[in-house]
Every structure is written in C-alpha cells, then in structure tokens.
Amino acid sequence: MNLLLDTHTLIWWSVTQEKLSDTVMDLLQDNANTIILSLASIWEMQIKV
C-alpha cells in the first residue's frame, strides 16, 4: 500500500511516536508499504522553522 504522510504524521513519527495510534504505527512499520512524502510537507516544515 502507498502511504502519503501529512506533515504532522511525519513530525510525530520522527519525534513523538506516542501521539500516533497503534494502527498508524503498524502501517508505518510494515515493509510492504511504501511511504511517500510530499514536497509541500518539506516546504511547510521549512516555513515554520
């Protein structure tokens, strides 16, 4: 399955995984899934720094 992560999910996955549900963590840790990040998310993080 392809997973398009939004900005909050990416940040929480990187910093505070306890904010993510068990279902989301299972999906993120499944090697059968492809994780996709939008360039817009990178832009959004840069303007908020």
Side-chain angles (χ1 to χ4, degrees):
M1 175 180 351
N2 292 329
L3 303 173
L4 175 60
L5 300 186
D6 71 350
T7 306
H8 285 100
T9 304
L10 175 65
I11 292 170
W12 290 345
W13 187 31
S14 300
V15 180
T16 55
Q17 292 183 357
E18 62 273 4
K19 289 188 175 188
L20 299 173
S21 70
D22 291 338
T23 303
V24 171
M25 285 303 298
D26 289 343
L27 288 169
L28 292 172
Q29 293 172 346
D30 187 345
N31 289 333
N33 294 329
T34 302
I35 298 172
I36 303 167
L37 179 64
S38 169
L39 289 175
S41 290
I42 296 169
W43 171 79
E44 182 180 8
M45 288 185 289
Q46 288 297 312
I47 66 170
K48 293 184 184 287
V49 169

